[in-house]
mmCIF file of all heavy atoms in Angstrom:
data_model
loop_
_atom_site.group_PDB
_atom_site.id
_atom_site.type_symbol
_atom_site.label_atom_id
_atom_site.label_comp_id
_atom_site.label_asym_id
_atom_site.label_seq_id
_atom_site.Cartn_x
_atom_site.Cartn_y
_atom_site.Cartn_z
ATOM 1 N N SER A 10 -9.953 9.105 0.159
ATOM 2 C CA SER A 10 -8.702 9.396 -0.387
ATOM 3 C C SER A 10 -7.587 8.732 0.239
ATOM 4 O O SER A 10 -7.704 8.306 1.498
ATOM 5 C CB SER A 10 -8.437 10.902 -0.397
ATOM 6 O OG SER A 10 -8.095 11.323 0.957
ATOM 7 N N LEU A 11 -6.494 8.562 -0.462
ATOM 8 C CA LEU A 11 -5.242 7.930 0.215
ATOM 9 C C LEU A 11 -4.779 8.785 1.283
ATOM 10 O O LEU A 11 -4.258 8.369 2.443
ATOM 11 C CB LEU A 11 -4.241 7.620 -0.759
ATOM 12 C CG LEU A 11 -4.509 6.575 -1.922
ATOM 13 C CD1 LEU A 11 -3.334 6.504 -2.877
ATOM 14 C CD2 LEU A 11 -4.717 5.294 -1.194
ATOM 15 N N ASP A 12 -4.789 10.079 1.121
ATOM 16 C CA ASP A 12 -4.288 11.076 2.152
ATOM 17 C C ASP A 12 -5.027 10.837 3.501
ATOM 18 O O ASP A 12 -4.437 10.780 4.518
ATOM 19 C CB ASP A 12 -4.380 12.524 1.782
ATOM 20 C CG ASP A 12 -3.334 12.819 0.668
ATOM 21 O OD1 ASP A 12 -2.339 12.093 0.446
ATOM 22 O OD2 ASP A 12 -3.553 13.843 -0.015
ATOM 23 N N GLU A 13 -6.435 10.712 3.380
ATOM 24 C CA GLU A 13 -7.183 10.565 4.617
ATOM 25 C C GLU A 13 -6.782 9.192 5.258
ATOM 26 O O GLU A 13 -6.798 9.085 6.514
ATOM 27 C CB GLU A 13 -8.670 10.599 4.260
ATOM 28 C CG GLU A 13 -9.216 11.924 3.790
ATOM 29 C CD GLU A 13 -10.606 11.826 3.284
ATOM 30 O OE1 GLU A 13 -10.847 11.268 2.263
ATOM 31 O OE2 GLU A 13 -11.502 12.300 4.089
ATOM 32 N N TYR A 14 -6.696 8.191 4.439
ATOM 33 C CA TYR A 14 -6.483 6.869 4.965
ATOM 34 C C TYR A 14 -5.104 6.787 5.677
ATOM 35 O O TYR A 14 -4.897 6.259 6.732
ATOM 36 C CB TYR A 14 -6.516 5.818 3.765
ATOM 37 C CG TYR A 14 -6.180 4.457 4.064
ATOM 38 C CD1 TYR A 14 -6.629 3.820 5.248
ATOM 39 C CD2 TYR A 14 -5.395 3.751 3.140
ATOM 40 C CE1 TYR A 14 -6.351 2.514 5.413
ATOM 41 C CE2 TYR A 14 -5.102 2.392 3.377
ATOM 42 C CZ TYR A 14 -5.552 1.767 4.500
ATOM 43 O OH TYR A 14 -5.214 0.402 4.773
ATOM 44 N N PHE A 15 -4.106 7.258 4.913
ATOM 45 C CA PHE A 15 -2.748 7.283 5.600
ATOM 46 C C PHE A 15 -2.702 8.060 6.816
ATOM 47 O O PHE A 15 -1.949 7.720 7.877
ATOM 48 C CB PHE A 15 -1.731 7.893 4.489
ATOM 49 C CG PHE A 15 -1.546 6.945 3.298
ATOM 50 C CD1 PHE A 15 -0.924 7.472 2.188
ATOM 51 C CD2 PHE A 15 -1.995 5.648 3.299
ATOM 52 C CE1 PHE A 15 -0.813 6.706 1.081
ATOM 53 C CE2 PHE A 15 -1.806 4.802 2.092
ATOM 54 C CZ PHE A 15 -1.245 5.390 1.026
ATOM 55 N N ALA A 16 -3.349 9.275 6.810
ATOM 56 C CA ALA A 16 -3.401 10.049 8.033
ATOM 57 C C ALA A 16 -3.977 9.344 9.189
ATOM 58 O O ALA A 16 -3.437 9.461 10.405
ATOM 59 C CB ALA A 16 -4.042 11.477 7.801
ATOM 60 N N ALA A 17 -5.128 8.588 8.969
ATOM 61 C CA ALA A 17 -5.756 7.903 10.084
ATOM 62 C C ALA A 17 -4.896 6.795 10.543
ATOM 63 O O ALA A 17 -4.752 6.508 11.802
ATOM 64 C CB ALA A 17 -7.043 7.330 9.509
ATOM 65 N N TYR A 18 -4.262 6.056 9.688
ATOM 66 C CA TYR A 18 -3.328 4.969 9.985
ATOM 67 C C TYR A 18 -2.169 5.470 10.793
ATOM 68 O O TYR A 18 -1.730 4.944 11.920
ATOM 69 C CB TYR A 18 -2.883 4.321 8.755
ATOM 70 C CG TYR A 18 -1.734 3.204 8.982
ATOM 71 C CD1 TYR A 18 -2.035 2.053 9.448
ATOM 72 C CD2 TYR A 18 -0.335 3.636 8.711
ATOM 73 C CE1 TYR A 18 -1.077 1.017 9.592
ATOM 74 C CE2 TYR A 18 0.584 2.517 8.798
ATOM 75 C CZ TYR A 18 0.220 1.327 9.345
ATOM 76 O OH TYR A 18 1.219 0.357 9.552
ATOM 77 N N GLU A 19 -1.518 6.484 10.348
ATOM 78 C CA GLU A 19 -0.380 7.157 11.103
ATOM 79 C C GLU A 19 -0.803 7.642 12.478
ATOM 80 O O GLU A 19 -0.101 7.553 13.465
ATOM 81 C CB GLU A 19 0.377 8.221 10.276
ATOM 82 C CG GLU A 19 1.020 7.700 8.990
ATOM 83 C CD GLU A 19 1.607 8.701 8.167
ATOM 84 O OE1 GLU A 19 1.452 9.880 8.521
ATOM 85 O OE2 GLU A 19 2.244 8.355 7.031
ATOM 86 N N ALA A 20 -1.932 8.280 12.527
ATOM 87 C CA ALA A 20 -2.452 8.900 13.798
ATOM 88 C C ALA A 20 -2.700 7.885 14.797
ATOM 89 O O ALA A 20 -2.589 8.133 16.074
ATOM 90 C CB ALA A 20 -3.630 9.704 13.536
ATOM 91 N N ALA A 21 -3.026 6.595 14.372
ATOM 92 C CA ALA A 21 -3.252 5.528 15.265
ATOM 93 C C ALA A 21 -2.066 4.750 15.627
ATOM 94 O O ALA A 21 -2.146 3.782 16.398
ATOM 95 C CB ALA A 21 -4.338 4.581 14.678
ATOM 96 N N GLY A 22 -0.871 5.252 15.215
ATOM 97 C CA GLY A 22 0.365 4.595 15.734
ATOM 98 C C GLY A 22 0.989 3.709 14.523
ATOM 99 O O GLY A 22 2.011 3.161 14.727
ATOM 100 N N GLY A 23 0.448 3.757 13.345
ATOM 101 C CA GLY A 23 1.060 2.970 12.251
ATOM 102 C C GLY A 23 2.347 3.681 11.691
ATOM 103 O O GLY A 23 2.635 4.790 12.068
ATOM 104 N N VAL A 24 3.075 2.876 10.962
ATOM 105 C CA VAL A 24 4.367 3.326 10.476
ATOM 106 C C VAL A 24 4.112 4.651 9.472
ATOM 107 O O VAL A 24 3.060 4.712 8.924
ATOM 108 C CB VAL A 24 5.158 2.361 9.710
ATOM 109 C CG1 VAL A 24 5.515 1.130 10.646
ATOM 110 C CG2 VAL A 24 4.416 1.782 8.566
ATOM 111 N N LYS A 25 5.145 5.356 9.356
ATOM 112 C CA LYS A 25 5.066 6.438 8.367
ATOM 113 C C LYS A 25 5.081 5.927 6.950
ATOM 114 O O LYS A 25 5.807 5.035 6.634
ATOM 115 C CB LYS A 25 6.355 7.366 8.501
ATOM 116 C CG LYS A 25 6.439 8.427 7.406
ATOM 117 C CD LYS A 25 5.349 9.511 7.734
ATOM 118 C CE LYS A 25 5.483 10.792 6.763
ATOM 119 N NZ LYS A 25 4.488 11.707 6.881
ATOM 120 N N VAL A 26 4.005 6.350 6.221
ATOM 121 C CA VAL A 26 3.727 5.706 4.961
ATOM 122 C C VAL A 26 4.809 6.231 3.950
ATOM 123 O O VAL A 26 4.993 7.429 3.762
ATOM 124 C CB VAL A 26 2.377 5.963 4.497
ATOM 125 C CG1 VAL A 26 2.066 5.390 3.062
ATOM 126 C CG2 VAL A 26 1.298 5.384 5.449
ATOM 127 N N ASP A 27 5.371 5.189 3.266
ATOM 128 C CA ASP A 27 6.378 5.403 2.131
ATOM 129 C C ASP A 27 5.619 5.324 0.798
ATOM 130 O O ASP A 27 5.181 4.193 0.477
ATOM 131 C CB ASP A 27 7.541 4.596 2.293
ATOM 132 C CG ASP A 27 8.560 4.775 1.226
ATOM 133 O OD1 ASP A 27 8.240 5.125 0.013
ATOM 134 O OD2 ASP A 27 9.830 4.489 1.447
ATOM 135 N N ARG A 28 5.315 6.350 0.016
ATOM 136 C CA ARG A 28 4.518 6.225 -1.082
ATOM 137 C C ARG A 28 5.077 5.332 -2.184
ATOM 138 O O ARG A 28 4.416 4.617 -2.914
ATOM 139 C CB ARG A 28 4.304 7.703 -1.707
ATOM 140 C CG ARG A 28 3.547 8.610 -0.825
ATOM 141 C CD ARG A 28 2.102 8.320 -0.791
ATOM 142 N NE ARG A 28 1.392 9.370 0.052
ATOM 143 C CZ ARG A 28 0.276 9.868 -0.291
ATOM 144 N NH1 ARG A 28 -0.252 9.682 -1.440
ATOM 145 N NH2 ARG A 28 -0.321 10.775 0.506
ATOM 146 N N ALA A 29 6.481 5.243 -2.303
ATOM 147 C CA ALA A 29 7.024 4.445 -3.254
ATOM 148 C C ALA A 29 6.998 2.976 -2.908
ATOM 149 O O ALA A 29 6.675 2.040 -3.701
ATOM 150 C CB ALA A 29 8.577 4.729 -3.423
ATOM 151 N N ARG A 30 7.086 2.669 -1.557
ATOM 152 C CA ARG A 30 6.790 1.298 -0.996
ATOM 153 C C ARG A 30 5.346 0.910 -1.255
ATOM 154 O O ARG A 30 5.124 -0.194 -1.544
ATOM 155 C CB ARG A 30 7.283 1.259 0.375
ATOM 156 C CG ARG A 30 7.333 -0.199 0.981
ATOM 157 C CD ARG A 30 7.857 -0.064 2.459
ATOM 158 N NE ARG A 30 9.354 0.083 2.370
ATOM 159 C CZ ARG A 30 10.252 -0.880 2.495
ATOM 160 N NH1 ARG A 30 9.806 -2.135 2.359
ATOM 161 N NH2 ARG A 30 11.482 -0.537 2.460
ATOM 162 N N PHE A 31 4.478 1.858 -0.940
ATOM 163 C CA PHE A 31 3.030 1.624 -1.210
ATOM 164 C C PHE A 31 2.755 1.249 -2.616
ATOM 165 O O PHE A 31 2.110 0.233 -2.856
ATOM 166 C CB PHE A 31 2.247 2.837 -0.810
ATOM 167 C CG PHE A 31 0.835 2.682 -1.070
ATOM 168 C CD1 PHE A 31 -0.060 2.091 -0.220
ATOM 169 C CD2 PHE A 31 0.226 3.264 -2.270
ATOM 170 C CE1 PHE A 31 -1.446 1.936 -0.418
ATOM 171 C CE2 PHE A 31 -1.092 3.128 -2.524
ATOM 172 C CZ PHE A 31 -1.950 2.508 -1.622
ATOM 173 N N ARG A 32 3.364 1.879 -3.612
ATOM 174 C CA ARG A 32 3.180 1.640 -5.067
ATOM 175 C C ARG A 32 3.630 0.276 -5.442
ATOM 176 O O ARG A 32 3.067 -0.448 -6.142
ATOM 177 C CB ARG A 32 3.882 2.698 -5.878
ATOM 178 C CG ARG A 32 3.864 2.450 -7.345
ATOM 179 C CD ARG A 32 4.382 3.681 -8.191
ATOM 180 N NE ARG A 32 4.659 3.241 -9.556
ATOM 181 C CZ ARG A 32 3.798 2.941 -10.492
ATOM 182 N NH1 ARG A 32 2.487 2.945 -10.241
ATOM 183 N NH2 ARG A 32 4.257 2.562 -11.757
ATOM 184 N N PHE A 33 4.825 -0.090 -4.773
ATOM 185 C CA PHE A 33 5.425 -1.466 -5.143
ATOM 186 C C PHE A 33 4.357 -2.501 -4.623
ATOM 187 O O PHE A 33 4.136 -3.460 -5.446
ATOM 188 C CB PHE A 33 6.686 -1.668 -4.374
ATOM 189 C CG PHE A 33 7.153 -3.146 -4.366
ATOM 190 C CD1 PHE A 33 7.929 -3.657 -5.464
ATOM 191 C CD2 PHE A 33 6.790 -4.041 -3.342
ATOM 192 C CE1 PHE A 33 8.209 -4.953 -5.501
ATOM 193 C CE2 PHE A 33 7.152 -5.364 -3.483
ATOM 194 C CZ PHE A 33 7.794 -5.896 -4.545
ATOM 195 N N TRP A 34 3.790 -2.323 -3.470
ATOM 196 C CA TRP A 34 2.896 -3.387 -2.893
ATOM 197 C C TRP A 34 1.538 -3.400 -3.696
ATOM 198 O O TRP A 34 0.943 -4.398 -3.828
ATOM 199 C CB TRP A 34 2.673 -3.175 -1.471
ATOM 200 C CG TRP A 34 3.890 -3.869 -0.634
ATOM 201 C CD1 TRP A 34 4.828 -3.119 -0.087
ATOM 202 C CD2 TRP A 34 4.291 -5.248 -0.643
ATOM 203 N NE1 TRP A 34 5.788 -3.892 0.519
ATOM 204 C CE2 TRP A 34 5.447 -5.219 0.134
ATOM 205 C CE3 TRP A 34 3.679 -6.249 -1.090
ATOM 206 C CZ2 TRP A 34 6.061 -6.416 0.481
ATOM 207 C CZ3 TRP A 34 4.419 -7.523 -0.797
ATOM 208 C CH2 TRP A 34 5.563 -7.599 0.004
ATOM 209 N N LEU A 35 1.177 -2.171 -4.145
ATOM 210 C CA LEU A 35 -0.117 -2.128 -4.995
ATOM 211 C C LEU A 35 0.145 -2.940 -6.201
ATOM 212 O O LEU A 35 -0.730 -3.686 -6.662
ATOM 213 C CB LEU A 35 -0.406 -0.652 -5.340
ATOM 214 C CG LEU A 35 -1.816 -0.331 -5.952
ATOM 215 C CD1 LEU A 35 -2.862 -0.780 -4.895
ATOM 216 C CD2 LEU A 35 -1.948 1.108 -6.213
ATOM 217 N N LEU A 36 1.393 -2.865 -6.915
ATOM 218 C CA LEU A 36 1.529 -3.563 -8.092
ATOM 219 C C LEU A 36 1.735 -4.980 -7.811
ATOM 220 O O LEU A 36 1.237 -5.903 -8.423
ATOM 221 C CB LEU A 36 2.861 -2.958 -8.796
ATOM 222 C CG LEU A 36 2.526 -2.007 -9.894
ATOM 223 C CD1 LEU A 36 3.640 -0.985 -10.126
ATOM 224 C CD2 LEU A 36 2.443 -2.823 -11.226
ATOM 225 N N TYR A 37 2.589 -5.269 -6.670
ATOM 226 C CA TYR A 37 2.819 -6.639 -6.338
ATOM 227 C C TYR A 37 1.554 -7.411 -6.056
ATOM 228 O O TYR A 37 1.367 -8.574 -6.574
ATOM 229 C CB TYR A 37 3.768 -6.750 -5.122
ATOM 230 C CG TYR A 37 3.995 -8.146 -4.767
ATOM 231 C CD1 TYR A 37 5.149 -8.823 -5.173
ATOM 232 C CD2 TYR A 37 3.160 -8.918 -3.830
ATOM 233 C CE1 TYR A 37 5.466 -10.126 -4.786
ATOM 234 C CE2 TYR A 37 3.398 -10.086 -3.435
ATOM 235 C CZ TYR A 37 4.640 -10.797 -3.859
ATOM 236 O OH TYR A 37 4.783 -12.020 -3.427
ATOM 237 N N ARG A 38 0.611 -6.831 -5.273
ATOM 238 C CA ARG A 38 -0.657 -7.674 -4.831
ATOM 239 C C ARG A 38 -1.561 -7.676 -6.044
ATOM 240 O O ARG A 38 -2.249 -8.744 -6.203
ATOM 241 C CB ARG A 38 -1.301 -7.047 -3.682
ATOM 242 C CG ARG A 38 -0.498 -7.233 -2.362
ATOM 243 C CD ARG A 38 -0.291 -8.665 -2.051
ATOM 244 N NE ARG A 38 -1.315 -9.578 -1.942
ATOM 245 C CZ ARG A 38 -1.883 -9.871 -0.747
ATOM 246 N NH1 ARG A 38 -1.409 -9.472 0.449
ATOM 247 N NH2 ARG A 38 -2.963 -10.719 -0.685
ATOM 248 N N THR A 39 -1.598 -6.793 -7.071
ATOM 249 C CA THR A 39 -2.306 -6.882 -8.219
ATOM 250 C C THR A 39 -1.730 -8.015 -9.120
ATOM 251 O O THR A 39 -2.536 -8.842 -9.608
ATOM 252 C CB THR A 39 -2.261 -5.630 -9.125
ATOM 253 O OG1 THR A 39 -2.770 -4.613 -8.088
ATOM 254 C CG2 THR A 39 -3.222 -5.627 -10.225
ATOM 255 N N LEU A 40 -0.451 -8.202 -9.343
ATOM 256 C CA LEU A 40 0.268 -9.252 -9.911
ATOM 257 C C LEU A 40 -0.139 -10.595 -9.136
ATOM 258 O O LEU A 40 -0.362 -11.536 -9.835
ATOM 259 C CB LEU A 40 1.751 -8.952 -9.805
ATOM 260 C CG LEU A 40 2.651 -10.260 -10.249
ATOM 261 C CD1 LEU A 40 2.391 -10.685 -11.657
ATOM 262 C CD2 LEU A 40 4.137 -9.840 -9.986
ATOM 263 N N TRP A 41 0.011 -10.587 -7.810
ATOM 264 C CA TRP A 41 -0.320 -11.752 -7.000
ATOM 265 C C TRP A 41 -1.709 -12.376 -7.312
ATOM 266 O O TRP A 41 -1.925 -13.438 -7.433
ATOM 267 C CB TRP A 41 -0.120 -11.408 -5.549
ATOM 268 C CG TRP A 41 -0.608 -12.440 -4.557
ATOM 269 C CD1 TRP A 41 0.199 -13.400 -4.102
ATOM 270 C CD2 TRP A 41 -1.861 -12.601 -3.873
ATOM 271 N NE1 TRP A 41 -0.555 -14.209 -3.172
ATOM 272 C CE2 TRP A 41 -1.802 -13.723 -3.065
ATOM 273 C CE3 TRP A 41 -3.064 -11.839 -3.946
ATOM 274 C CZ2 TRP A 41 -2.857 -14.148 -2.248
ATOM 275 C CZ3 TRP A 41 -4.153 -12.253 -3.240
ATOM 276 C CH2 TRP A 41 -4.026 -13.230 -2.471
ATOM 277 N N TRP A 42 -2.686 -11.395 -7.407
ATOM 278 C CA TRP A 42 -4.014 -11.815 -7.633
ATOM 279 C C TRP A 42 -4.265 -12.233 -9.165
ATOM 280 O O TRP A 42 -5.031 -13.098 -9.404
ATOM 281 C CB TRP A 42 -5.031 -10.713 -7.275
ATOM 282 C CG TRP A 42 -6.470 -11.024 -7.496
ATOM 283 C CD1 TRP A 42 -7.499 -10.291 -7.968
ATOM 284 C CD2 TRP A 42 -7.137 -12.279 -6.921
ATOM 285 N NE1 TRP A 42 -8.671 -10.908 -7.938
ATOM 286 C CE2 TRP A 42 -8.444 -12.227 -7.296
ATOM 287 C CE3 TRP A 42 -6.632 -13.396 -6.299
ATOM 288 C CZ2 TRP A 42 -9.545 -13.166 -6.987
ATOM 289 C CZ3 TRP A 42 -7.660 -14.358 -5.899
ATOM 290 C CH2 TRP A 42 -8.955 -14.228 -6.392
ATOM 291 N N ALA A 43 -3.497 -11.692 -10.024
ATOM 292 C CA ALA A 43 -3.655 -12.089 -11.392
ATOM 293 C C ALA A 43 -3.200 -13.589 -11.482
ATOM 294 O O ALA A 43 -3.817 -14.417 -12.165
ATOM 295 C CB ALA A 43 -2.730 -11.226 -12.288
ATOM 296 N N LEU A 44 -2.112 -13.881 -10.757
ATOM 297 C CA LEU A 44 -1.682 -15.235 -10.801
ATOM 298 C C LEU A 44 -2.503 -16.141 -9.908
ATOM 299 O O LEU A 44 -2.737 -17.294 -10.153
ATOM 300 C CB LEU A 44 -0.170 -15.384 -10.244
ATOM 301 C CG LEU A 44 0.857 -14.832 -11.327
ATOM 302 C CD1 LEU A 44 2.099 -14.622 -10.621
ATOM 303 C CD2 LEU A 44 1.043 -15.778 -12.418
ATOM 304 N N GLY A 45 -3.119 -15.670 -8.924
ATOM 305 C CA GLY A 45 -4.062 -16.356 -8.081
ATOM 306 C C GLY A 45 -5.343 -16.766 -9.062
ATOM 307 O O GLY A 45 -5.860 -17.902 -8.853
#
């Protein structure tokens, strides 16, 4: 799950996950690969 993944990332010192920013990048990289 995303919750498990984000928790592991944050526990290891990663930045606090912003869900809206995550959604932007999910869309952006899907678009990026479509053009790729």
Side-chain angles (χ1 to χ4, degrees):
S10 72
L11 291 179
D12 288 342
E13 293 174 287
Y14 176 44
F15 295 162
Y18 173 77
E19 292 175 358
V24 301
K25 177 69 176 176
V26 177
D27 180 328
R28 298 285 182 134
R30 189 176 286 269
F31 174 85
R32 173 169 165 75
F33 171 85
W34 282 109
L35 191 62
L36 263 149
Y37 177 95
R38 288 307 297 264
T39 304
L40 166 65
W41 173 87
W42 184 226
L44 287 166

